[in-house]
Amino acid sequence: MKRGDMILILVVLLVAGSLYGIKAYKDHNEHYAQGELQAVITVDGKEYKTVSLTKEEQTIDIQTKFGHNILKVYDYGIRMTYSDAPLPIALDMGFISRPKQQILCVPARLMVEVINPHRSINDDNELDAVIQP
């Protein structure tokens, strides 16, 4: 590799790192008050339930034809405490409490996502459409 190639690679890496850093900084500084966030629980792509993330402890028992899962809401966040999946990887996803964080249980077709319901509608990172075959 020549000197020009190394400089080009370095410039590309610096630009990519800068863009990633700016995006992370913007997402990290999203303002919300504790207690105003919600968790949207979907099963097989359909909304199952929306819960407010509060300090009070709450248990959500989800039994569907795809599996059995238990979620626990506490300290303004949510975590999965039980899954009957063969490999319960969703239990390792831990406690989530910030917008856009997710817990996924693929065998149970379950997704839990933290959202900020007061977020601006004109967010460039939001999903625009879903195309199904």
Side-chain angles (χ1 to χ4, degrees):
M1 288 175 59
K2 295 183 180 180
R3 184 174 184 207
D5 295 336
M6 294 297 282
I7 292 173
L8 180 64
I9 291 171
L10 183 62
V11 168
V12 169
L13 288 175
L14 285 174
V15 169
S18 298
L19 293 174
Y20 178 76
I22 290 169
K23 182 180 178 341
Y25 178 76
K26 284 183 179 180
D27 288 345
H28 180 70
N29 287 328
E30 180 179 341
H31 298 288
Y32 55 88
Q34 283 189 338
E36 74 178 21
L37 296 180
Q38 295 178 338
V40 176
I41 303 166
T42 57
V43 176
D44 199 25
K46 298 177 183 95
E47 186 173 326
Y48 178 81
K49 188 174 186 179
T50 300
V51 294
S52 293
L53 300 180
T54 60
K55 183 125 177 107
E56 293 79 31
E57 193 171 305
Q58 177 184 359
T59 302
I60 303 161
D61 191 11
I62 303 170
Q63 292 187 358
T64 65
K65 65 181 180 181
F66 304 112
H68 180 216
N69 299 79
I70 298 176
L71 298 166
K72 183 177 177 183
V73 176
Y74 64 99
D75 291 337
Y76 304 106
I78 190 167
R79 82 175 307 132
M80 187 172 293
T81 58
Y82 174 79
S83 175
D84 66 351
L87 290 171
I89 297 170
L91 298 178
D92 296 332
M93 293 185 181
F95 181 78
I96 60 173
S97 61
R98 295 195 345 235
K100 300 181 184 176
Q101 289 183 325
Q102 297 176 339
I103 297 174
L104 300 171
C105 183
V106 176
R109 299 182 185 181
L110 177 86
M111 180 176 82
V112 181
E113 181 176 18
V114 176
I115 63 163
N116 184 355
H118 304 297
R119 181 89 190 241
S120 169
I121 295 173
N122 298 325
D123 188 2
D124 291 337
N125 294 327
E126 293 296 321
L127 184 66
D128 293 331
V130 176
I131 300 172
Q132 295 182 346

